[in-house]
Amino acid sequence: MTVALMWEARAAEGRGAELLAWARAQELPVPPVRRETFRAPQDRVLVITWWDAPYDAELPELPEPEGELVSRAVHRWRFESVRED
């Protein structure tokens, strides 16, 4: 089964580039099968990691940025792949 973990944060005013750089620099203790980083208006950053694991497996996730880099708590979602029939 493939599990996708999504991590999304919104930077504090004017700190979008800094948040993007911070997210890209975060290393996980175990590498995922795939990892992509996205940015969007309003200084939002999204990181999706894909894992070959059961849905409820304990998987490493990006942490909350320290200090005042973000304007709100990080949002996290977990999805499992669905077979195409």
Side-chain angles (χ1 to χ4, degrees), residues 3 7-9 11 22 26-27 38 44 52 56 59 64 70 84:
V3 176
W7 177 100
E8 187 266 340
W22 179 91
Q26 298 307 299
E27 292 187 25
F38 303 86
R44 290 178 291 144
D52 184 18
D56 57 353
L59 299 169
E64 293 270 343
V70 294
E84 298 293 326

Side-chain angles (χ1 to χ4, degrees), residues 16-83:
E18 187 179 348
L19 177 60
L20 178 61
W22 179 91
R24 295 174 93 183
Q26 298 307 299
E27 292 187 25
L28 297 169
V30 177
V33 172
R34 181 174 160 196
R35 176 177 172 164
E36 287 191 58
T37 304
F38 303 86
R39 64 179 170 190
Q42 300 176 331
D43 290 332
R44 290 178 291 144
V45 174
L46 171 69
V47 178
I48 305 174
T49 56
W50 285 264
W51 304 87
D52 184 18
Y55 183 81
D56 57 353
E58 287 196 34
L59 299 169
E61 296 190 47
L62 271 66
E64 293 270 343
E66 293 183 11
E68 297 179 3
L69 184 56
V70 294
S71 62
R72 58 163 168 74
V74 168
H75 292 173
R76 301 170 192 273
W77 300 275
R78 182 177 288 224
F79 295 91
E80 64 183 333
S81 62
V82 178
R83 278 188 48 188

